[in-house]
Amino acid sequence: PVASRQLRAPLFNLEAHSRHAAAQAQTEGARARFAAGGRDLLDRLGLAYVQRLFAEETLALARVQVDALETQTQIARRRQDAGEGTRTELADAAASLASARAELIAAEDQRALAQRGLARVTGEEKLAMQSLPTDALPLLPAERSLQEWNALARANNPSLTARAREIDALQHEIRRNRAGHYPRVDLVASALDAENESISTLDQHTRQYSVGVQVNIPIYAGGGVDASVRRAAAELARAQAQLDDDTERLQLDIERQFRTMESGRARLAALDDAVAASALALQGARRGQSAGVFS
């Protein structure tokens, strides 16, 4: 019987080291892409939910408008029958009512589409909706400058992180390909235990041990190493260009959202004033109706 053992341990292997570093960068990039996918899911869920709530509020408003215009049409018809109104007033009221009914049909369709979009994200056809209270305040983020928002995005955006890790992996890939020109040094050890191999060695027991250093020096690989380095460098240039493009698009989106947020503050203030003025006008109209000024 013959028993042998061999051990090989790398002392200098630039290719293996670069491959390990590239694998680590790819792992970090995969984690960043997973985080980006989770945030994208939250964004789609929030958008679908808000669209569903908005469609419900739009439908309620359309119904109120139809009810109000039906009442207005009835008043115009009674005024005409009593000889106080004109056919023009009745025609205008009827036209407004028809337009409001068309808006109601469109609002019902929009609510159905919004419900379908929400069900596509959640997987639930019937989901309990919770509207915002009438006294709810907008949850505006902390006031920061545009430069501060851009800095936060570059530091915390998972999509940019994934693209940066891809660049790191490609840089290590270039080093791995260039390692084809470098020697490889391994520590090699072996042990051989042989007994009764043949008739001439009958009843003999042989043991051999060896330890040494093995050096492999590449001489010529047919240009394959240089070609693989050029290919990896082209992939690196592509990834860097994509990172620059993603960064510019992110900054543009941040600026658009920033300006929307700033203008939204002014719009909220204006809408609050409009609600207060409408409430005052409604109160005056009710008092005038009770006093017999409006019929």
Side-chain angles (χ1 to χ4, degrees):
V2 178
S4 63
R5 294 180 178 85
Q6 292 184 349
L7 174 65
R8 178 184 295 271
L11 299 178
F12 178 79
N13 192 333
L14 185 59
E15 179 182 1
H17 179 269
S18 300
R19 188 185 301 114
H20 177 263
Q24 287 183 329
Q26 290 173 354
T27 301
E28 294 175 358
R31 291 191 182 124
R33 285 191 296 271
F34 180 78
R39 294 188 181 185
D40 180 66
L41 176 60
L42 290 177
D43 290 340
R44 291 191 292 113
L45 175 60
L47 179 60
Y49 191 84
V50 171
Q51 287 178 343
R52 176 65 176 81
L53 287 178
F54 182 75
E56 191 68 33
E57 296 293 336
T58 303
L59 179 60
L61 178 61
R63 287 172 177 170
V64 170
Q65 289 177 344
V66 169
D67 294 339
L69 289 173
E70 285 178 350
T71 302
Q72 184 177 355
T73 302
Q74 293 174 1
I75 293 175
R77 184 175 289 108
R78 287 198 300 266
R79 286 172 57 85
Q80 183 185 9
D81 294 341
E84 298 178 357
T86 63
R87 296 180 59 184
T88 303
E89 292 178 355
L90 180 59
D92 290 341
S96 299
L97 177 60
S99 178
R101 286 173 176 171
E103 293 294 333
L104 177 60
I105 296 174
E108 291 175 347
D109 293 340
Q110 188 63 33
R111 185 186 64 171
L113 292 175
Q115 176 61 31
R116 184 177 301 177
L118 181 61
R120 181 180 179 182
V121 178
T122 61
E124 295 288 339
E125 293 294 335
K126 295 181 179 180
L127 188 65
M129 306 295 295
Q130 183 175 1
S131 301
L132 290 176
T134 56
D135 58 347
L137 297 177
L139 299 177
L140 296 177
E143 293 187 5
R144 291 188 175 93
S145 64
L146 182 59
Q147 291 75 15
E148 290 176 338
W149 285 117
N150 286 329
L152 285 174
R154 287 192 298 268
N156 301 311
N157 187 271
S159 298
L160 294 185
T161 302
R163 189 70 69 184
R165 297 292 81 76
E166 179 185 358
I167 291 176
D168 292 341
L170 290 173
Q171 289 175 343
H172 291 299
E173 182 70 14
I174 292 177
R175 297 189 186 98
R176 186 187 70 82
N177 292 325
R178 286 176 178 171
H181 293 304
Y182 290 84
R184 174 178 174 177
V185 182
D186 296 330
L187 175 65
V188 180
S190 63
L192 177 65
D193 190 353
E195 184 177 358
N196 297 335
E197 290 183 332
S198 63
I199 298 178
S200 59
T201 59
L202 191 61
D203 295 331
Q204 291 184 8
H205 191 189
T206 303
R207 291 181 178 177
Q208 294 179 354
Y209 302 96
S210 63
V211 178
V213 176
Q214 187 179 68
V215 180
N216 294 325
I217 301 177
I219 297 178
Y220 181 68
V225 175
D226 293 335
S228 61
V229 170
R230 289 194 297 269
R231 179 186 60 81
E235 290 292 329
L236 176 61
R238 176 193 59 81
Q240 288 176 338
Q242 289 180 346
L243 176 60
D244 294 338
D245 181 67
D246 292 345
T247 303
E248 291 179 358
R249 287 192 293 109
L250 178 62
Q251 290 177 351
L252 180 61
D253 186 53
I254 290 174
E255 183 176 358
R256 180 169 55 250
Q257 298 295 338
F258 178 80
R259 298 188 183 281
T260 301
M261 182 180 64
E262 292 298 320
S263 62
R265 298 178 190 271
R267 290 184 60 190
L268 285 174
L271 289 174
D272 288 338
D273 294 339
V275 170
S278 299
L280 183 61
L282 178 61
Q283 183 180 3
R286 287 176 176 175
R287 290 180 178 179
Q289 185 178 13
S290 62
V293 178
F294 303 108
S295 59

